[in-house]
Amino acid sequence: MAPELARLTVFHGIKFKNWDTSIENPTYHMHSFSESKVRSLSKQANSRQWIEYNQTHLTRTFPSGKRVDSSNYSPMVAWSNGCQLVALNFQTSCSSLLLNDGRFRENGGCGYVRKPCTLMTKDDSMEPASARLSIRVLSGSCLPKPKGQRRGECIDPYVKLSLYDEKEGKEVCTSYTTNYVVDNGFSPIWNQDKYTFDVCNAAVAILQLAVWDKDIHSKDNFIASSSVPISCMRQGFRSVRLFDSNNTRSGAFDFASLLIEVKLKEQMLEEI
């Protein structure tokens, strides 16, 4: 790189050799890793050094070049290691983009979320906070037709609950599905069993509530969803606003919501 150009840039990308060398580099040096490298580094025995590196330096991660269909990798592992710039493909709506929207919605969608203290401490013995989460889906309200269509048959909605979490450098996902309610998108009532999740890393984990339209003869249709970080969950009866596939609330989605009951048994959650 020409010295004249280098003086105009804030951060300089450098090749990764080892964490000891990287940590000693100037703070304006940064690493860029593909999704496969992210998975590889997170499984190594010295992965804690990556978290230490990210306390003073920046890491950028990006999707594999093989994703010609503009699909995405999960951002959970990169976030759990303190990576600041987790790049995703925005061309195709998917669960990863919904998770990304939920992560940054907790700070008003400004594009910045403060790291939890578990990713900023020098204490290697400090384990991520864990918790047990119990969710009961009670009812829905004003659920629109797929893609906000005005015409068509009444939907048969059901809710898929998915906990996206991280454990020992790997993403883990636990999912449950409610029964579907026949021909009722206006005020469907489920009020069934409670669904229990064991949260391994409460500072990073996100609960995704997705409403689908059951179709016996073809593929089920996505209606709306909401992704809520576990660190933002509050106990009691809660109204959850739903968003369309583009993470917006407009038109037919203005009043779409779910009523749920939340119970959260915290373990060290005050440390988040």
Side-chain angles (χ1 to χ4, degrees), residues 105-120:
R105 194 179 296 280
E106 67 178 278
N107 198 17
C110 71
Y112 170 84
V113 174
R114 186 179 180 182
K115 283 188 185 181
C117 66
T118 52
L119 295 178
M120 294 302 296

Side-chain angles (χ1 to χ4, degrees), residues 154-245:
C154 293
I155 63 173
D156 304 327
Y158 67 89
V159 182
K160 182 177 181 180
L161 304 88
S162 300
L163 177 72
Y164 292 86
D165 200 356
E166 179 273 338
K167 182 179 181 181
E168 298 177 352
K170 298 179 181 179
E171 183 197 38
V172 291
C173 179
T174 306
S175 297
Y176 298 101
T177 303
T178 68
N179 294 334
Y180 66 92
V181 178
V182 179
D183 292 344
N184 190 347
F186 182 69
S187 58
I189 296 177
W190 290 280
N191 194 18
Q192 296 172 335
D193 298 335
K194 296 179 181 178
Y195 304 103
T196 301
F197 301 90
D198 289 321
V199 183
C200 300
N201 190 342
V204 177
I206 296 179
L207 177 69
Q208 189 173 98
L209 301 166
V211 180
W212 292 78
D213 176 22
K214 182 68 175 179
D215 195 326
I216 299 177
H217 303 292
S218 61
K219 184 178 179 181
D220 294 350
N221 296 306
F222 175 81
I223 301 295
S225 72
S226 183
S227 299
V228 185
I230 299 302
S231 57
C232 297
M233 298 289 287
R234 298 296 179 264
Q235 298 202 69
F237 295 95
R238 301 291 170 180
S239 177
V240 180
R241 298 193 305 166
L242 298 175
F243 301 84
D244 62 17
S245 59

Side-chain angles (χ1 to χ4, degrees), residues 22-38:
S22 296
I23 291 174
E24 295 300 323
N25 284 331
T27 55
Y28 54 82
H29 284 187
M30 66 176 289
H31 288 314
S32 292
F33 298 131
S34 67
E35 59 176 283
S36 58
K37 189 67 173 180
V38 170

